[in-house]
Amino acid sequence: MPQAKGEKHWIIPDGYIPPASSGSLESHESVCVLNVSSEEALLHFTIYFEDRDPIEDIPVVVPPRRTKHIRTSSLAKNGASIPAGVPYAIEVRSDIPVIVQYSRLDATQAENALMSVVAYPVK
Amino acid sequence: MPQAKGEKHWIIPDGYIPPASSGSLESHESVCVLNVSSEEALLHFTIYFEDRDPIEDIPVVVPPRRTKHIRTSSLAKNGASIPAGVPYAIEVRSDIPVIVQYSRLDATQAENALMSVVAYPVK
Amino acid sequence: MPQAKGEKHWIIPDGYIPPASSGSLESHESVCVLNVSSEEALLHFTIYFEDRDPIEDIPVVVPPRRTKHIRTSSLAKNGASIPAGVPYAIEVRSDIPVIVQYSRLDATQAENALMSVVAYPVK
Amino acid sequence: MPQAKGEKHWIIPDGYIPPASSGSLESHESVCVLNVSSEEALLHFTIYFEDRDPIEDIPVVVPPRRTKHIRTSSLAKNGASIPAGVPYAIEVRSDIPVIVQYSRLDATQAENALMSVVAYPVK
């Protein structure tokens, strides 16, 4: 039985959904999670802003032995979601260890730009 | 009461404000800080150069349970700020643990380029 | 005799082979490995997907005192390889410590985009 | 007297000097070092390749309380330097702790692409 690996708590300070797209691709961010274990991982996302209270504890499930690449625009709770064009930050908590990476594709211009970081693991 | 998480001391060796912009976006860098705690965080930035003494201890406040995405061009002390087109480095000290990420948008050309790193935590 | 340095287990959650290329460069990803030791390193790659079982234990050799920049599209086992345009994740195990970085060149548009991360070391 | 911070040994597996430039910027890589201490730091770079022996121990000095952004194309020893268009890897050793980040500007196309990582600290 493959064991869970990684950490249970991850932080991404630089979140931003580009408000515009042009060219053939759409601007978006992905939070990419890998669950190497034979158990399901239950994650909770908290979204922090500069000028308002956080959106807390949005649940996401990652099946055993699977990756999930989660579009941040799909995260929602009680009708609240992340607005485009606003600086924010992401906290991910998981009930078992997982590994988390964040990537952004900015297609504001016709030609796209990419950035990626492995999230900061809180130990 | 949510507890502070992260580290109190962070380093970003590659700072550079692109001197030119074209297209619809402006070249800039952001130092993105997340304070997950219920207390205010008081940060001090020190800016290092290749050929002159550092600009020391520029204060920045990050409110409780908030993120702040700080444009490096806004950092100033006693009339001294970071010139564009010059290689420099950033040191961030905080009175409570926070998490720090650095991102650069280079819009020198009409189409933009992005890079990002989680800052190096000094432990 | 130079000793092995780094870790034996590395994770990259955000794998994606862009399906299209235009301009003078071809879209691709590289897993870049450095073996500083005087012994050969034997690596095994496992590829995780969102909706199907992993491709397990694809072997790769990195000679002593050499780097190897491995195109993910070249990884294959029993006729199975990584399809383009599909989100996936990468696990690298090595019999001796090595260091692993992941980079993607996206040339979907005529102008290319780059992203890179040092892989997450499992300790 | 400010104390040295960081690590004495850093690795960057993905080195590559793009062979071509177009547009207003030149393709290049920078190894960005910060020395926060009041002492000079003496670094030695070793360059690893896929198919030949390393170039060992290229010396670089970083003055006290300064950053240095080193173009990899400037690294040379006994007439040997890093060829463009060839995959390689970088090892940095320092006599006192420093912090190391690696960034690449690819201007192969008219519009540039950027990537950056904090180097891997060997502890």
Side-chain angles (χ1 to χ4, degrees), chain B residues 50-98:
Chain B
E50 290 194 314
D51 56 2
R52 70 195 96 168
D53 285 341
I55 307 175
E56 293 185 276
D57 294 327
I58 305 168
V60 174
V61 167
V62 183
R65 308 285 286 162
R66 295 288 183 273
T67 187
K68 198 162 192 172
H69 292 199
I70 302 146
R71 295 264 178 133
T72 54
S73 57
S74 75
L75 295 170
K77 193 179 177 184
N78 302 332
S81 62
I82 305 169
V86 163
Y88 74 96
I90 304 168
E91 182 179 29
V92 182
R93 287 172 181 280
S94 173
D95 61 345
I96 62 170
V98 295

Side-chain angles (χ1 to χ4, degrees), chain B residues 12-31:
Chain B
I12 303 145
D14 184 8
Y16 183 79
I17 303 177
S21 296
S22 55
S24 66
L25 296 173
E26 194 189 3
S27 290
H28 69 271
E29 303 165 301
S30 294
V31 177

Side-chain angles (χ1 to χ4, degrees), chain A residues 111-115, chain B residues 104-116, chain C residues 25 104-107 109-116, chain D residues 16 18 20-23 25-30 102-116:
Chain A
E111 312 300 329
N112 48 5
L114 276 176
M115 67 181 232
Chain B
R104 186 189 303 162
L105 173 75
D106 188 323
T108 305
Q109 310 281 355
E111 314 299 329
N112 48 6
L114 276 176
M115 68 181 231
S116 189
Chain C
L25 295 173
R104 186 189 304 162
L105 173 75
D106 188 324
Q109 309 282 354
E111 314 299 330
N112 47 6
L114 277 176
M115 67 181 232
S116 189
Chain D
Y16 183 80
S21 297
S22 55
L25 296 173
E26 194 189 3
S27 291
H28 69 271
E29 304 165 300
S30 294
Y102 166 94
S103 301
R104 186 189 304 161
L105 173 75
D106 188 323
T108 305
Q109 309 283 354
E111 314 298 329
N112 48 7
L114 277 176
M115 67 180 232
S116 190

